[in-house]
Amino acid sequence: MRLTKFTDLALRAVMRLAVTAPEESVTTREVAESMDVPYAHMAKVVTRLQHLGVVEARRGRGGGLALTERGRRSSVGWLARTLEGEEEVVACEGDPPCPLRTACRLRGALREAQEAFYRALDPLTVAELVESPTGPLLLSLTPRPTL
């Protein structure tokens, strides 16, 4: 199973925010630069994370992003499942639709495998993701200076 780039960026963003000290302010641009991704992509990710109640954005001077308590306690499985949506592993109903779709056992087996993937991530929280050695590495990632 492969996660979408969007989910990958979201997980990396919450991990980065999980190691940010409460008194520290980090912007969407800084998170994007430290993860070496375009700002526009990270802005979309942050917006979605805000809607989920995982990230809080403060505007103005001294503003920035913060991981909410809900975000810190969130299950990685729940977060991945929510961000990925109900998309099937295979596109049985695609264009053209698969001719086997009405009697195929593969679709159900792949759905079970997908759910097993998420269940394996369910016990892991965002806070646990950033325990050593990951947390210190995340803190060492600094935005690249712009030229």
Side-chain angles (χ1 to χ4, degrees):
M1 162 118 197
R2 184 179 181 117
L3 297 175
T4 62
K5 185 70 171 174
F6 188 88
T7 300
D8 175 38
L9 291 178
L11 292 172
R12 289 195 273 158
V14 296
M15 289 171 66
R16 174 58 183 92
L17 294 174
V19 296
T20 303
E23 67 280 356
E24 189 182 341
S25 177
V26 70
T27 66
T28 302
R29 187 166 307 282
E30 290 168 333
V31 173
E33 289 173 359
S34 69
M35 297 294 156
D36 198 23
V37 298
Y39 168 78
H41 291 4
M42 188 57 71
K44 290 176 187 172
V45 165
V46 167
T47 298
R48 179 76 167 109
L49 292 171
Q50 281 181 270
H51 288 195
L52 293 175
V54 172
V55 169
E56 176 183 80
R58 296 166 291 210
R59 294 181 163 268
R61 188 173 171 93
L65 304 174
L67 190 64
T68 65
E69 189 55 36
R70 176 183 183 170
R72 195 169 303 286
R73 290 189 329 261
S74 287
S75 153
V76 176
W78 170 81
L79 199 50
R81 192 182 282 109
T82 302
L83 293 167
E84 289 290 308
E86 296 297 318
E87 220 31 56
E88 300 244 0
V89 177
V90 291
C92 301
E93 304 299 331
D95 186 26
C98 176
L100 302 175
R101 72 186 179 284
T102 58
C104 183
R105 296 182 61 189
L106 179 61
R107 184 180 197 175
L110 290 172
R111 178 50 115 177
E112 276 184 48
Q114 182 180 31
E115 190 49 41
F117 175 82
Y118 292 134
R119 272 194 314 271
L121 296 173
D122 281 340
L124 185 63
T125 66
V126 170
E128 292 169 330
L129 278 181
V130 296
E131 292 174 355
S132 190
T134 306
L137 176 62
L138 282 164
L139 287 171
S140 73
L141 299 175
T142 54
R144 286 197 237 150
T146 53
L147 301 175

